[in-house]
């Protein structure tokens, strides 16, 4: 009799119609690595990240072709606002998307975000005016608040021992998307100029020179949208009124079983109403995350603008295709690092120390960037690729460590809202980064002969100042470690 009741008492902890409970039961039955679910996480995150920075290799040329800048030195100023519009839009809706994900599920938010990529990323490639470019990027960002839900999803879809790997997959796909996106933009922008044997100047792609890279990513998003049909929901959706449904589990359950479920729901409601803004381990990790996000986004835009600008203005005189090649190599190497090296690194050092080490190494690396203009030929290509690869590895190491801290600071049913807060803060900082970086880059190009930090030396010096501030904030008493 006892043997028959044991499975029944175990089943009482689950709700039949709850997708989260079904997933929990599946995790109990299959204790191995959830490869299929992790693949879903990787592809969805990659689809979300690709359109964010696809524009940076060709943004300089796009602003020039839209004839909004009167002088070449002013192109960076206008480019910054186009880059900032996506993040500003995402800042407006990220917290709301987190709340929706906590109430209605992760999957609806993910599907809406991918639909936005399909529609508005395509429209951005068809932009014929400066304001159309800004508007389409703004709307795309407003519907693209699914990084928070997908971070929560990556933890909920696996067992506790695999959660660090789940978050690492998110940051890997995110980092690769932020690198492969510009690579696609660099290779496929202006196809009529780069591949005249395939695309003529009178063709559709000749009239809309920046449509092809956007279309490639939108086409990938359509495939991901179809894949979402099989995406399992992870949110627990418990309807207590349905407990009196006459099922055998309810009829045979002892009275303390009902009390157990009521207490569980009461504790869940209490936890849900807790003020996340009073959770200092969460808020401190979010603030540090925002500072490093500001730095990373500013670096992403400045690197592309600096690389394609003329050597007379302190740049490298790269083409958009050259920038694409550099970023493609970095993206592939980043994938290898995250899959094979980062798990061992974080196991040995922990997320906080690994983030500190990466931040310390970033400072001398960035300080060396302006001096690459003195190189040429193969040496320039080799050094630029190595520096870009190393910088992106260090960025991902920092961000992944902070991902882990944030998600360990809150229970499961608050992760959507917590990540929504993180996304809102990050998006505000990342919205300021391209605008500020563009203005800073434009100003630096006008002071090539200044006595103190001339030209782009000032740009990379200010990036290092932000990096150093973020490093200081990873220490106590500012950063609080969650008790998990």
């Amino acid at each position: 009799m006892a043997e028959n009741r044991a499975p029944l008492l175990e089943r009482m902890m689950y709700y039949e119609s709850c997708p989260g409970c079904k997933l929990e039961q599946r995790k109990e039955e299959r204790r191995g690595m959830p490869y299929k679910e992790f693949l879903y996480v990787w592809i969805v995150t990659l689809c979300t990240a690709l359109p964010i920075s696809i524009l940076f290799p060709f943004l300089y040329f796009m602003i020039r072709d839209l004839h909004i800048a009167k002088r070449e030195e002013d192109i960076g100023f206008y480019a910054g606002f186009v880059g900032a519009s996506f993040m500003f839009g995402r800042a407006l809706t990220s917290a709301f998307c987190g709340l929706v994900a906590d109430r209605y599920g992760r999957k609806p938010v993910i599907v809406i975000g991918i639909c936005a990529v399909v529609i508005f990323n395509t429209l951005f490639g068809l932009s014929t005016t400066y304001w159309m470019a800004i508007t389409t990027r703004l709307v795309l960002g407003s519907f693209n608040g699914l990084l928070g839900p997908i971070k929560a999803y990556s933890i909920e879809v696996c067992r506790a021992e695999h959660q660090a790997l789940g978050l690492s997959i998110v940051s890997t796909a995110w980092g690769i998307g932020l690198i492969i996106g510009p690579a696609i933009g660099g290779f496929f922008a202006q196809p009529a100029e780069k591949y005249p044997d395939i695309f003529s100047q009178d063709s559709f792609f000749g009239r809309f020179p920046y449509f092809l890279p956007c279309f490639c990513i939108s086409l990938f998003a359509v495939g991901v949208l179809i894949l979402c049909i099989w995406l399992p929901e992870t949110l627990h959706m418990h309807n207590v009124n349905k407990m009196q449904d006459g099922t055998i589990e309810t009829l045979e359950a002892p009275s303390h079983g009902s009390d157990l479920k009521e207490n569980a729901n009461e504790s869940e409601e209490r936890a849900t109403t807790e003020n996340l803004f009073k959770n200092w381990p969460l808020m401190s990790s979010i603030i540090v995350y925002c500072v490093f996000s500001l730095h990373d986004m500013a670096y992403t835009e400045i690197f592309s603008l600096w690389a394609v600008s003329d050597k007379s203005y302190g740049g490298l005189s790269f083409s958009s295709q050259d920038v694409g090649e550099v970023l493609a190599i970095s993206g592939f190497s980043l994938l290898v690092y995250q899959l094979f090296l980062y798990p061992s690194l974080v196991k040995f050092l922990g997320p906080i120390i690994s983030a500190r080490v990466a931040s310390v190494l970033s400072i001398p690396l960035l300080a060396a960037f302006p001096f690459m203009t003195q190189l040429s030929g193969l040496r320039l290509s080799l050094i630029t690729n190595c520096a870009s690869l190393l910088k992106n590895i260090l960025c991902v190491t920092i961000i992944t460590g902070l991902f882990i801290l944030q998600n360990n600071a809150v229970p499961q049913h608050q992760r959507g809202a917590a990540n929504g807060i993180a996304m809102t803060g990050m998006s505000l900082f990342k919205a300021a980064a391209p605008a500020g970086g563009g203005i800073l880059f434009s100003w630096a190009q006008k002071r090539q002969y200044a006595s103190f930090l001339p030209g782009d030396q000032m740009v990379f010096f200010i990036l290092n100042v932000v990096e150093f501030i973020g490093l200081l904030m990873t220490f106590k008493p500012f950063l609080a470690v969650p008790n998990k």
Side-chain angles (χ1 to χ4, degrees), residues 323-363:
V323 176
E325 290 174 357
V326 171
L327 296 176
I329 293 171
S330 296
F332 176 77
S333 304
L334 193 63
L335 175 62
V336 174
Y337 166 75
Q338 281 289 90
L339 291 180
F340 300 106
L341 299 179
Y342 180 77
S344 300
L345 176 68
V346 78
K347 187 180 293 185
F348 179 68
L349 295 178
I352 298 178
I353 295 179
S354 59
R356 289 172 184 164
V357 171
S359 182
V360 169
L361 293 176
S362 292
I363 294 175

Side-chain angles (χ1 to χ4, degrees), residues 149-198:
I150 200 64
K151 284 197 292 181
Y153 186 93
S154 69
I155 283 184
E156 296 160 0
V157 82
C158 63
R159 295 172 59 83
E161 59 265 29
H162 301 135
Q163 288 179 358
L165 179 59
L167 282 173
S168 178
I169 287 172
V170 173
S171 61
T172 302
W174 188 258
I176 290 173
L178 294 179
I179 295 171
I180 297 297
I184 293 172
F187 280 120
F188 296 111
Q190 301 169 309
E193 294 182 15
K194 295 175 184 173
Y195 317 108
D197 295 337
I198 303 174

Side-chain angles (χ1 to χ4, degrees), residues 81-208:
F81 291 104
V82 177
S85 57
F86 178 95
M87 289 299 170
F88 181 72
R90 197 168 70 175
L92 296 176
T93 59
S94 290
F96 175 73
C97 288
L99 293 173
V100 171
D102 280 343
R103 184 172 180 84
Y104 299 105
R106 320 303 191 202
K107 187 172 179 177
V109 178
I110 291 172
V111 170
I112 292 171
I114 295 173
C115 287
V117 173
V118 174
I119 298 169
F120 297 106
N121 187 61
T122 304
L123 291 175
F124 173 70
L126 296 172
S127 297
T128 54
T129 67
Y130 180 71
W131 294 108
M132 181 179 176
I134 285 184
T135 302
T136 51
R137 292 287 294 180
L138 177 69
V139 179
L140 174 60
S142 298
F143 284 96
N144 198 277
L146 56 81
L147 178 60
I150 200 64
K151 284 197 292 181
Y153 186 93
S154 69
I155 283 184
E156 296 160 0
V157 82
C158 63
R159 295 172 59 83
E161 59 265 29
H162 301 135
Q163 288 179 358
L165 179 59
L167 282 173
S168 178
I169 287 172
V170 173
S171 61
T172 302
W174 188 258
I176 290 173
L178 294 179
I179 295 171
I180 297 297
I184 293 172
F187 280 120
F188 296 111
Q190 301 169 309
E193 294 182 15
K194 295 175 184 173
Y195 317 108
D197 295 337
I198 303 174
F199 304 98
S200 68
Q201 290 289 348
D202 298 327
S203 67
F204 180 83
F205 295 103
R207 295 196 305 272
F208 297 97

Side-chain angles (χ1 to χ4, degrees), residues 359-433:
S359 182
V360 169
L361 293 176
S362 292
I363 294 175
L365 178 64
L366 272 177
F369 268 59
F371 301 100
M372 294 182 194
T373 57
Q374 300 175 16
L375 304 174
S376 61
L378 180 61
R379 284 196 302 170
L380 175 60
S381 178
L382 182 63
I383 296 296
T384 304
N385 275 285
C386 291
S388 175
L389 165 62
L390 184 56
K391 181 67 180 77
N392 284 293
I393 284 176
L394 297 175
C395 288
V396 168
T397 302
I398 296 168
I399 293 300
T400 305
L402 295 172
F403 276 178
I404 295 173
L405 292 180
Q406 287 171 31
N407 283 277
N408 285 345
V410 290
Q412 189 254 5
H413 51 274
Q414 286 187 311
R415 284 183 187 138
N419 282 303
I421 294 172
M423 283 283 291
T424 300
M426 179 196 71
S427 297
L428 285 171
F429 276 69
K430 282 195 169 185

Side-chain angles (χ1 to χ4, degrees), residues 215-228:
F215 177 71
C216 290
I217 290 178
S218 297
L219 198 61
F220 174 70
V222 170
V224 176
L225 191 60
I226 296 171
L227 186 67
C228 283

